[in-house]
Amino acid sequence: MRTAALPTFRKLYGKIESDLEKGENIQVTLQNNYNTYSFSGKKKLVLSTTSWLGGKNDFLGIAYLTVGGICFVFALAFTIMYLVKPRLVAYPWPFKCITHVHADRC
């Protein structure tokens, strides 16, 4: 088992692919393959649902969508700025030979 970054963490064990009805019983068999008693650890079984944004906390999904939207707006703004007023080349050496500066590169 890999060491977790935070003191409390969840590890995905599996997925239930079929729909469950309200009040339906689920039978789970647990085995103690990794001893947590040596460091006063606890094991718990958590059944959770997920949404299209992610797991139990929607913050990460919303943050990804927000940052992606901001990047898209900036990309669109810079593209429009470039199309309206293109940037001039400051040092056009590869395209136009300047004899008095770099005569050996012409």
Side-chain angles (χ1 to χ4, degrees), residues 37-95:
Y37 304 124
S38 62
F39 54 88
S40 301
K42 296 178 183 175
K43 291 184 182 184
K44 297 178 183 178
L45 175 66
V46 178
L47 297 178
S48 178
T49 58
T50 58
S51 66
W52 65 279
L53 288 177
K56 67 175 184 169
N57 191 354
D58 292 338
F59 172 76
L60 194 59
I62 292 171
Y64 283 154
L65 291 174
T66 303
V67 171
I70 291 170
C71 289
F72 180 75
V73 168
F74 274 115
L76 192 63
F78 286 132
T79 302
I80 291 172
M81 284 173 42
Y82 178 74
L83 292 175
V84 170
K85 186 178 179 185
R87 183 176 168 208
L88 298 175
V89 179
Y91 182 58
W93 167 74
F95 309 110

Side-chain angles (χ1 to χ4, degrees), residues 89-106:
V89 179
Y91 182 58
W93 167 74
F95 309 110
K96 182 179 174 185
C97 184
I98 302 173
T99 57
H100 66 279
V101 178
H102 290 287
D104 58 334
R105 294 186 184 177
C106 293

Side-chain angles (χ1 to χ4, degrees), residues 6 15 17 33-34 42 45 61 69 73 76:
L6 300 173
K15 290 183 181 180
E17 298 291 339
N33 292 333
Y34 185 76
K42 296 178 183 175
L45 175 66
V73 168
L76 192 63

